[in-house]
Amino acid sequence: MLIAPCVIAGSFYYYSAERGGMFGTFAVIMTMVSFGVQSGALVVAGYYVERMLRENRDEIAAIPDDEEVTEADRRDERRYRQLQAATAWDRLVRMRQYFPAGILCGSAVLMVVSCWLATFLSDACFRTFELTDTVADKLDGQVFTIDGSAGITKPLGNVVLALFFISLLGYLWFVLWAARYAASQPGLLGRVEKVSPKARLPESLSTDLATSAFDESSKPRDAKIHPAHSPRSTS
């Protein structure tokens, strides 16, 4: 029931490109039907999941957490925070890590340029290829060429692909470098949390401090009598 409308819509789109006529209209209608069916299934599934969680809240809350999974989550969180602290932009500049920072900026610029060209100049980058076309008839028998003389991409399209893959390689290099750089400074996270004004105490530690402060304030204090108000001897 969920897959059939999508399959029928795809079939109508195939025949609309080959035969035309009413198949294009049927394809649009079946696409709307498939969208409605998929959306309705998502809403119904979400309703029953929420209902099950609400009716069995106590049983679910009583299930203990897996210690190994919890410990792994803590390690991942600490590793992520360590990575964020080590690769903060101001710290990269302060530590004179100009080359990795330049790689990251250059990769971002190349990615933006490639996406801009592929979006706004798509006709100048790629050749039109329909679902019912063949490589031999529409692309001169070649899917891709370096110079863009044949295949799905034109010369500008090859430039777009080159920019995209160069930016992707630069980003992957930065990710690997950042992981090694953060691992080489195991004490960085503690120093950052110590000097950061936004750092919060752990919940257990803050609770202990608050409890001890309350105990100190509630202790009876010895009354100190000023000498001027001390009782005089009547002898």
Side-chain angles (χ1 to χ4, degrees):
M1 181 178 178
L2 298 177
I3 305 301
C6 299
V7 176
I8 296 174
S11 302
F12 281 144
Y13 271 113
Y14 175 82
Y15 283 110
S16 66
E18 188 177 63
R19 303 180 183 180
M22 295 295 294
F23 288 103
T25 303
F26 292 153
V28 174
I29 293 175
M30 289 308 302
T31 301
M32 296 177 62
V33 171
S34 62
F35 175 78
V37 170
Q38 296 287 339
S39 301
L42 178 63
V43 172
V44 172
Y47 167 76
Y48 280 103
V49 169
E50 193 275 336
R51 178 180 175 182
M52 188 274 294
L53 294 176
R54 184 177 64 252
E55 293 177 352
N56 303 276
R57 181 180 304 173
D58 296 334
E59 291 82 354
I60 297 175
I63 299 175
D65 295 334
D66 192 291
E67 294 297 333
E68 295 182 359
V69 175
T70 303
E71 183 63 26
D73 290 340
R74 291 174 181 172
R75 288 197 304 266
D76 292 341
E77 181 181 1
R78 182 171 181 82
R79 188 180 300 112
Y80 173 77
R81 293 168 59 191
Q82 174 82 8
L83 180 64
Q84 294 297 314
T87 58
W89 185 258
D90 56 344
R91 190 175 189 280
L92 290 178
V93 176
R94 187 171 65 253
M95 300 301 294
R96 298 184 179 181
Q97 298 293 339
Y98 301 126
F99 183 75
I103 291 293
L104 182 62
C105 292
S107 299
V109 171
L110 293 180
M111 180 66 71
V112 171
V113 172
S114 64
C115 292
W116 187 89
L117 291 175
T119 302
F120 297 102
L121 298 177
S122 59
D123 293 337
C125 296
F126 307 101
R127 293 183 175 87
T128 303
F129 190 81
E130 300 292 342
L131 183 62
T132 55
D133 293 336
T134 61
V135 176
D137 296 337
K138 203 64 176 292
L139 302 179
D140 298 331
Q142 294 180 317
V143 178
F144 176 80
T145 57
I146 298 298
D147 58 356
S149 59
I152 194 66
T153 57
K154 297 179 180 180
L156 185 58
N158 288 346
V159 173
V160 169
L161 294 179
L163 295 178
F164 174 80
F165 284 110
I166 292 174
S167 64
L168 181 61
L169 291 176
Y171 174 73
L172 293 177
W173 180 90
F174 180 83
V175 170
L176 296 176
W177 173 87
R180 293 194 303 268
Y181 182 68
S184 65
Q185 304 183 28
L188 174 63
L189 186 59
R191 294 197 302 270
V192 172
E193 292 178 347
K194 184 177 181 180
V195 301
S196 176
K198 297 181 180 180
R200 297 182 178 180
L201 292 174
E203 184 178 356
S204 59
L205 180 59
S206 61
T207 304
D208 294 340
L209 291 177
T211 304
S212 61
F214 175 78
D215 294 340
E216 290 293 335
S217 62
S218 59
K219 288 181 179 179
R221 299 181 178 180
D222 297 335
K224 295 182 179 181
I225 303 176
H226 195 271
H229 302 281
S230 60
R232 298 182 178 179
S233 176
T234 56
S235 57

